[in-house]
Amino acid sequence: MATAMYKLKLGVALAAVAVPSLFGAFVASPLVGTAEAAPRKHVASRSAPIVNRIVFEKNKKVTADQLSSIMETKPGSPVNQATLSADIDRMREAYNRTGRSTVQITYREVPLPNNRVDLVFTVAEGSKVGIESINFVGNNNFSAWRLKRQMATVESGYLGWLRTTDTYDPDRLAGDEERLRQFYVNHGYPDFRVVSIVPSLNEKQDAYVLTVTVDEGQYYKFGPSQVESSISDVNPADLEGDVQSWNNWTYRGEDVDKTVEDMTVKLAASGHPFAQVRPRAVRDAGGNVISVNYVVEEGAKVYIERINIRGNTRTRDYVIRREFDIGEGDPYNKALIERATRRLRNLGYFKNIRVTNEPGSEPDRVIVNVDVEDQSTGEFSLGGGYSTSDGFLGEVSLTERNFLGRGQYVKASVQYGQRTQGYSLSFTEPYFLGQRIAAGFDIFSKTTDDSDYSYYKDQTTGGTLRAAFPITENFTVGVNYTIYSEKVTIPDGRYTDNDFDNGEASVAIKELAQEGRRLVSMAGYTLTYNTLDDLKQPSSGMYVQFKQDVAGLGGDAKFIKQSIDGRYYYSLTDDLTLMVRGQGGYMHGFGKDKLAIVDQYSPGPDLVRGFAPGGIGPRDIAGGSKGNGLGGTTYFGGTVELQFPIFGLPREVGLRGAVFADAGTVFGYGGKKYAKYGNPDDPTQVTFNLVDEHKIRSSVGASLLWASPLGPLRFDYAYVLTKAKHDDTQAFRFGTIVNY
């Protein structure tokens, strides 16, 4: 073996001077453990032992699988001291990322027959070394508290045992530098830079103190912007509507980027795939103004030779490729690549995404590399809670957002609560028939006991077929068909004993319950416009949805109903978000039958907080002072809400506060007026006293919003300002948050 490795030839004399160099090369071989130089004539050696297995002891914070995955030493490889030393360094780095920078790792070899050994690593993990404080130097325009909220790295606190982001991690801090830069650039400081981030141990040597020194630079506003074109058939006036850098507004880098993207996409769609938009900043430092001129010019004719998908161990290649509007052989378009990158991030399938380019086989070819790292997309939830509309509630749900790596959404859940029980199954294919069409179905069954509010119980079982067609990045058209069976019952005999002193179900409810099960067959469409920056916790953008449904394609119900709900979010500062909402709806029945109470609008606290479910709108007050909410054919309302962080609480807690004002009304009962019911000779069975006021109800209040592990929740306390005489109020409300 040695003659082959070092190219020695038999029969050729070996000069004594060659022995030291040969010996050094021989020892460096991974096959050799120890060696000694013999006097001139021979080399005595023994082979390095082979690793049989690798064992870890006393490791709790980092699993054996995680440690093994970062080691170069593997079972079956020879023991090499240099490699083992590097492996231990990598293991220490893994522990550093969990905040245990004092970790000590030793190893021993356990000899086995046939020159094999077990490697046993013993880990003394030590205690977690957190971050005592993050101090800023040079921040004259933004408080340290506000800058800390931009960083992923946080100070240690009473929730330190729940998180690992309160430790010193150079990679995370590099990301924090970019987050701080983006924050400043989007608040008028394009020249901002982080001068340094210096870590130091505190006096007790048990936590780090981070000192972040920044240079904010000068504040700028946007000046007048214009579009220039060096392409003969591109009219600059056609692109001026895409400019989002408005005069006298605070300079925002993301406005410039969005303008460039929108213009580039429009140019590509109009037959200029190689056109590029170059923002040219003209500074007036004395006037603190940056005028951005968008220059349209013909770019180099470069084509995509290949798109490499790498690192996806679970997600299928085609799921990633379909987010690109361009493919192999198409003109390279940077704006379309960036849009695809943003789409991939929004999927939520990947922990990390990196899209880079490299030269292709020809000067006019480029290779696009997409490196991703899959993350868990399945969720098993077992929880319980309480809401004012459903009472105490328990739920078991299983959700998979990337089913079998195909990008499909599947959710199955079972609910059992004080006033609500049911189950549901949902499936969505986001690319139906190979097109950007989100198609799917829902199967559901739900029983709701509304007897506390309207003296009846509603049981519904059915399903929905749906599809959504994106017209643009922000505008979507959806179609749906729903069919369900519904049965209304009166759960308590007190509500049918004709004793109006203890509460009596309305004659409208009694008749509906007497009819038994009814079938509703309904088709509709939805128009959605969405520019929200974050669907879970939006701070800017708009969401508007218009819906229209027609029931009467068979079944027992015949009506047309339409509704609109619009929300606008505006970031007053990075911490304060203003939300303005408007909503309304109208419906009417057709044919000889009147509308049933379960078909009509009864928004209650979803329209004006401070009122009970079914607490506003048309009522039959014959059944007692509280009466029975019947619902109406028309509603409208508005909300103004200011959301803010709660000072002193870490961001990871997920708690925010809000103050709000609501106003709205429900009116226009569309059901039968009931001239008689049951036995016409018994006047107690025909009592029907309809109250249908158009009065505007209003309230003000405060909220607590929590991004909890069980989903977004909110607690509202409302004080009613105006109401109708027979409305049913409810000051406290607890339930889930729906932002769109």
Side-chain angles (χ1 to χ4, degrees), residues 194-479:
V194 176
V195 177
S196 64
I197 299 180
V198 179
S200 60
L201 287 171
N202 63 5
E203 293 182 358
K204 296 181 180 179
Q205 301 290 299
D206 61 356
Y208 281 104
V209 175
L210 296 182
T211 302
V212 184
T213 303
V214 301
D215 179 4
E216 293 183 324
Q218 187 170 331
Y219 171 79
Y220 286 94
K221 291 184 178 181
F222 278 121
S225 298
Q226 63 181 20
V227 182
E228 304 173 8
S229 175
S230 62
I231 303 176
S232 59
D233 58 343
V234 173
N235 185 357
D238 296 336
L239 300 174
E240 290 177 353
D242 295 310
V243 175
Q244 299 190 28
S245 50
W246 296 293
N247 192 25
N248 288 324
W249 283 46
T250 294
Y251 180 89
R252 288 163 47 97
E254 62 184 20
D255 290 342
V256 177
D257 294 340
K258 189 68 169 72
T259 299
V260 170
E261 178 182 322
D262 290 349
M263 287 184 179
T264 306
V265 171
K266 180 180 287 188
L267 288 165
S270 63
H272 297 278
F274 298 107
Q276 63 180 15
V277 180
R278 181 169 53 87
R280 186 177 65 202
V282 180
R283 298 191 182 215
D284 177 5
N288 293 2
V289 170
I290 294 180
S291 297
V292 182
N293 296 334
Y294 298 93
V295 181
V296 180
E297 53 194 13
E298 197 69 56
K301 288 181 168 54
V302 179
Y303 297 87
I304 297 176
E305 179 177 321
R306 189 169 67 253
I307 298 178
N308 295 325
I309 309 296
R310 304 183 301 205
N312 52 314
T313 57
R314 181 168 179 268
T315 304
R316 314 274 177 111
D317 274 18
Y318 69 84
V319 173
I320 298 172
R321 291 182 184 275
R322 68 192 183 188
E323 299 301 327
F324 288 80
D325 292 328
I326 51 179
E328 282 92 346
D330 290 338
Y332 177 80
N333 188 306
K334 182 180 178 182
L336 293 180
I337 294 292
E338 291 176 346
R339 182 162 71 174
T341 304
R342 187 170 60 251
R343 286 174 175 172
L344 289 173
R345 289 196 180 99
N346 290 338
L347 290 176
Y349 302 162
F350 309 108
K351 184 183 299 182
N352 295 306
I353 300 169
R354 186 168 178 260
V355 181
T356 57
N357 304 327
E358 65 180 61
S361 59
E362 300 291 339
D364 63 344
R365 297 290 187 270
V366 66
I367 296 173
V368 178
N369 297 317
V370 183
D371 294 285
V372 300
E373 182 182 355
D374 283 299
Q375 66 179 0
S376 175
T377 54
E379 298 175 1
F380 175 75
S381 175
L382 176 63
Y386 176 82
S387 73
T388 50
S389 58
D390 297 326
F392 290 99
L393 181 69
E395 180 180 71
V396 178
S397 67
L398 182 63
T399 304
E400 175 54 66
R401 294 179 285 110
N402 187 14
F403 184 63
L404 299 179
R406 298 175 178 175
Q408 298 165 334
Y409 176 90
V410 179
K411 180 177 181 179
S413 65
V414 177
Q415 294 179 332
Y416 189 85
Q418 183 180 0
R419 292 195 288 270
T420 299
Q421 301 89 39
Y423 63 84
S424 64
L425 174 65
S426 296
F427 174 84
T428 302
E429 166 56 63
Y431 274 77
F432 184 61
L433 299 177
Q435 303 295 318
R436 196 178 290 273
I437 301 172
F441 65 84
D442 306 294
I443 299 173
F444 55 86
S445 179
K446 185 175 183 179
T447 300
T448 304
D449 185 355
D450 283 336
S451 58
D452 283 356
Y453 305 109
S454 297
Y455 303 128
Y456 70 88
K457 187 177 182 179
D458 186 17
Q459 195 274 330
T460 303
T461 301
T464 298
L465 294 174
R466 48 184 165 73
F469 308 83
I471 307 303
T472 68
E473 281 289 298
N474 301 323
F475 182 63
T476 303
V477 176
V479 294

Side-chain angles (χ1 to χ4, degrees), residues 618-629:
R619 307 181 72 78
D620 178 7
I621 61 172
S625 59
K626 183 170 68 173
N628 289 238

Side-chain angles (χ1 to χ4, degrees), residues 500-717:
F500 288 80
D501 292 333
N502 63 8
E504 187 75 8
S506 170
V507 63
I509 298 173
K510 291 178 180 177
E511 184 176 71
L512 189 59
Q514 192 178 63
E515 291 177 359
R517 192 168 292 278
R518 61 198 292 264
L519 184 69
V520 178
S521 175
M522 181 170 60
Y525 67 90
T526 303
L527 308 177
T528 304
Y529 179 74
N530 181 9
T531 62
L532 296 181
D533 61 337
D534 187 337
L535 295 179
K536 293 182 178 180
Q537 188 174 318
S539 60
S540 66
M542 178 185 299
Y543 187 93
V544 180
Q545 187 175 80
F546 174 81
K547 299 175 64 175
Q548 187 172 59
D549 295 298
V550 179
L553 309 176
D556 303 310
K558 293 179 175 60
F559 59 78
I560 300 175
K561 64 192 314 182
Q562 45 272 316
S563 63
I564 186 169
D565 188 355
R567 303 179 186 223
Y568 175 72
Y569 293 83
Y570 180 73
S571 182
L572 298 174
T573 69
D574 189 63
D575 299 318
L576 299 178
T577 299
L578 178 68
M579 189 273 287
V580 180
R581 180 186 184 188
Q583 56 178 318
Y586 173 74
M587 67 179 300
H588 64 277
F590 59 89
K592 63 179 181 178
D593 295 331
K594 295 291 186 178
L595 294 171
I597 60 171
V598 290
D599 296 329
Q600 298 183 69
Y601 296 120
S602 185
D606 293 327
L607 184 66
V608 183
R609 281 164 285 193
F611 293 87
I616 59 177
R619 307 181 72 78
D620 178 7
I621 61 172
S625 59
K626 183 170 68 173
N628 289 238
L630 304 175
T633 59
T634 305
Y635 76 93
F636 60 83
T639 294
V640 176
E641 182 171 285
L642 181 65
Q643 300 176 3
F644 51 86
I646 298 178
F647 184 78
L649 286 181
R651 183 174 62 250
E652 290 72 22
V653 177
L655 284 173
R656 293 176 295 144
V659 291
F660 62 84
D662 294 341
T665 187
V666 185
F667 59 89
Y669 173 66
K672 292 169 61 176
K673 298 302 191 294
Y674 298 97
K676 63 179 182 178
Y677 170 78
N679 181 1
D681 297 327
D682 185 352
T684 62
Q685 294 192 10
V686 298
T687 303
F688 186 75
N689 190 354
L690 176 66
V691 175
D692 189 356
E693 297 189 39
H694 290 53
K695 185 179 181 65
I696 299 293
R697 285 79 167 180
S698 62
S699 66
V700 295
S703 304
L704 190 64
L705 291 69
W706 182 30
S708 78
L710 298 178
L713 303 173
R714 71 178 298 150
F715 176 87
D716 298 317
Y717 173 79

Side-chain angles (χ1 to χ4, degrees), residues 479-493:
V479 294
N480 60 83
Y481 172 73
T482 301
I483 184 169
Y484 59 89
S485 173
E486 185 172 36
K487 184 177 181 180
V488 171
T489 58
I490 302 174
D492 193 327

Side-chain angles (χ1 to χ4, degrees), residues 54-56 58-74 86-100 105 121 123 125 164 351 373-374:
I54 299 174
V55 180
F56 298 93
K58 300 183 180 180
N59 58 303
K60 296 180 180 179
K61 299 302 180 181
V62 182
T63 67
D65 288 341
Q66 291 172 322
L67 294 174
S68 297
S69 66
I70 61 177
M71 294 180 63
E72 288 188 10
T73 303
K74 303 291 182 184
D87 286 338
I88 290 176
D89 287 341
R90 280 187 287 270
M91 285 189 276
R92 288 198 186 101
E93 179 62 26
Y95 270 96
N96 286 341
R97 295 180 187 280
T98 69
R100 285 167 169 76
I105 302 174
F121 290 87
V123 182
E125 294 183 322
T164 60
K351 184 183 299 182
E373 182 182 355
D374 283 299

